[in-house]
Amino acid sequence: DELLLCVGAGDTVMVTNPAYTLAVAKKVPKSKLPPIQISQPNPAYEVAAKVIRKTQDRISTSVASFLTSLWNGDPKVVEATSITTEDSSKADIWTIIFELSRIASPILTTV
């Protein structure tokens, strides 16, 4: 669950631009302000992806079983996780499956 949440967050995250904060403090005109947010690599995604790649042969059955149970709406699995089966701002199964296909697609062969 925890690895999949990190994967579901995507490989980039939006963060507050430090240059914007400095520009506001210096009272730079609005027309010359840098963007409020910038994207940067998501370190949690990178670590989770590396763990999944290294342990793919040992975790593939468990991950596939978990995703299938979640997808089928197994009440025990749905209650125990914060991953949703609906498209939302939270981690959803569709985003996780897409990201897993990029990281370690053999895991998805039985989902």
Side-chain angles (χ1 to χ4, degrees):
D1 186 43
E2 295 299 322
L3 281 175
L4 297 178
L5 287 172
C6 292
V7 167
D11 58 351
T12 58
V13 291
M14 297 298 289
V15 295
T16 302
N17 186 353
Y20 176 82
T21 307
L22 291 173
V24 169
K26 292 180 181 179
K27 300 186 181 190
V28 172
K30 285 190 178 193
S31 62
K32 295 186 179 189
L33 285 175
I36 295 173
Q37 293 188 324
I38 56 173
S39 71
Q40 71 177 29
N42 184 354
Y45 175 92
E46 296 299 326
V47 170
K50 193 171 198 173
V51 168
I52 289 170
R53 283 186 197 109
K54 294 266 186 193
T55 61
Q56 177 179 330
D57 56 333
R58 293 179 294 231
I59 66 170
S60 62
T61 304
S62 299
V63 170
S65 175
F66 173 75
L67 290 174
T68 301
S69 296
L70 184 61
W71 199 345
N72 290 332
D74 182 350
K76 290 180 183 177
V77 174
V78 172
E79 288 177 19
T81 186
S82 57
I83 299 171
T84 68
T85 55
E86 302 163 0
D87 199 14
S88 68
S89 60
K90 296 164 77 175
D92 65 272
I93 193 168
W94 308 110
T95 305
I96 291 169
I97 289 173
F98 174 76
E99 292 297 336
L100 278 176
S101 72
R102 293 175 55 201
I103 296 169
S105 57
I107 288 177
L108 301 173
T109 56
T110 59
V111 176

